[in-house]
Amino acid sequence: ANNTKQLFRELAISKATKQAGMVNQLLEEAPIVAGMPMQPSTDGFKNVYEEITNVTGASLIDLDDELAEVGANTELKETSLSILGGTMFVGEDKARQLGGAAAYFNMKQPLVLRKTGEDLEKAIVYNNLRAYTVAEGTARSAGGSSNTNYSIVAVTWMPGEVTGLYDPAGYGNGKVFDVEAINGGNLYEKTINGKTILGYGVRLKSTLGIQLANSRYVSSLVNIDLDSATKKPPTEEMLDELLLNCRQNTSTVLYMHPKVLTHLYNYKRDKLQVANGDSGIDSRVVMYNGTPIVASYNFVQGTEQNVTIV
């Protein structure tokens, strides 16, 4: 379904072939971001788009009657991209012990990027996608009330409407993550815990955004309780409605915590027939009614607060 779109992992690697390892470190624990369709922003740090606010269609009229005026009203809107970035510092003595500043930063980079990918994905799930469904009225509740909840988010990725955004100019060198030595790679002073230390530093920067311009393509099921005494698991009817509420098509993806996915196995187990000669039972589910499921540990595990659906 995504063969016409550029996914984040593919885009990042194609734009920065020498950084493929770095991108994979970033996305190792961030499967949702890895598979997010991307498109370039119109204007660097912001993406300007046109939203249709009103359409007047043709109507049936009597013979020789006056024709009604038809047309569409639009307004310009914009989505801002965010800067993803940070700095790393190593003291002069520690750098020397560990084979130099470059070796130290290379050693730390996988850990930093993996955590960055996890934090980025959690922010996209909770601050963007799920928050959007609650604000726009496309969130439904499974009924959990013990603040021990999970969520499922359904997204139908649509170019120009619901999509990831990147700045095609980047920082002028085509890299997804721009890594630059601070102070030209030379020693500089930094105050840490009240002490001034000489050392080396690098900064990492990237620009990324997500455009949510049509609530018909994003829905969620919140307040799923799988752990407390008053369990409220998702039903098949709830999942059907979830997909209905995001206009399910071949671009739709279901996102959830792995524990929610293992609960969905029960739907299959109930219908599974095992013959005498079968040596194994496979109750795994990777799709629900044709829609792929992506499980991510960046959904929190059974500690989501109750969400009030208005």
Side-chain angles (χ1 to χ4, degrees), residues 10-169:
E10 297 161 2
L11 171 80
I13 290 173
S14 69
K15 290 280 180 194
T17 47
K18 288 183 181 172
Q19 280 194 314
M22 183 189 272
V23 171
N24 283 326
Q25 289 157 8
L26 172 72
L27 301 175
E28 188 171 338
E29 306 295 337
I32 296 173
V33 175
M36 188 166 71
M38 303 296 292
Q39 71 179 52
S41 59
T42 57
D43 185 16
F45 287 98
K46 65 177 188 284
N47 190 61
V48 180
Y49 63 95
E50 208 170 7
E51 186 171 286
I52 297 168
T53 55
N54 183 32
V55 180
T56 309
S59 54
L60 290 169
I61 58 170
D62 293 330
L63 290 173
D64 296 324
D65 204 351
E66 184 183 356
L67 286 170
E69 193 173 334
V70 297
N73 297 330
T74 63
E75 62 180 73
L76 287 178
K77 294 197 171 182
E78 64 178 55
T79 299
S80 296
L81 276 66
S82 300
I83 295 175
L84 199 63
T87 61
M88 285 194 279
F89 179 83
V90 59
E92 181 181 14
D93 296 336
K94 186 185 273 188
R96 186 173 293 145
Q97 278 182 320
L98 296 169
Y104 173 83
F105 294 134
N106 284 338
M107 181 178 69
K108 286 280 175 149
Q109 192 170 276
L111 299 170
V112 170
L113 287 174
R114 188 176 302 170
K115 184 71 170 73
T116 300
E118 290 169 10
D119 291 347
L120 172 65
E121 184 156 291
K122 189 171 282 186
I124 286 174
V125 165
Y126 288 104
N127 301 350
N128 297 106
L129 297 172
R130 197 184 77 155
Y132 184 65
T133 66
V134 173
E136 295 292 329
T138 57
R140 299 288 181 270
S141 175
S145 57
S146 304
N147 294 313
T148 52
N149 302 315
Y150 297 83
S151 296
I152 302 174
V153 177
V155 183
T156 300
W157 295 102
M158 295 292 280
E161 298 184 69
V162 179
T163 180
L165 297 169
Y166 70 97
D167 177 5

Side-chain angles (χ1 to χ4, degrees), residues 221-271:
L221 180 62
V222 300
N223 302 335
I224 297 167
D225 188 343
L226 302 177
D227 300 324
S228 80
T230 53
K231 288 187 172 70
K232 295 290 182 182
T235 64
E236 289 176 83
E237 289 80 9
M238 288 175 187
L239 285 174
D240 293 341
E241 187 188 11
L242 179 72
L243 290 171
L244 200 63
N245 287 343
C246 72
R247 302 290 203 275
Q248 177 195 22
N249 66 26
T250 54
S251 296
T252 307
V253 188
L254 284 164
Y255 300 112
M256 64 192 72
H257 188 279
K259 178 152 184 180
V260 182
L261 175 57
T262 57
H263 177 82
L264 300 191
Y265 296 170
N266 294 329
Y267 300 153
K268 184 175 174 182
R269 287 189 188 114
D270 290 345
K271 301 170 179 66

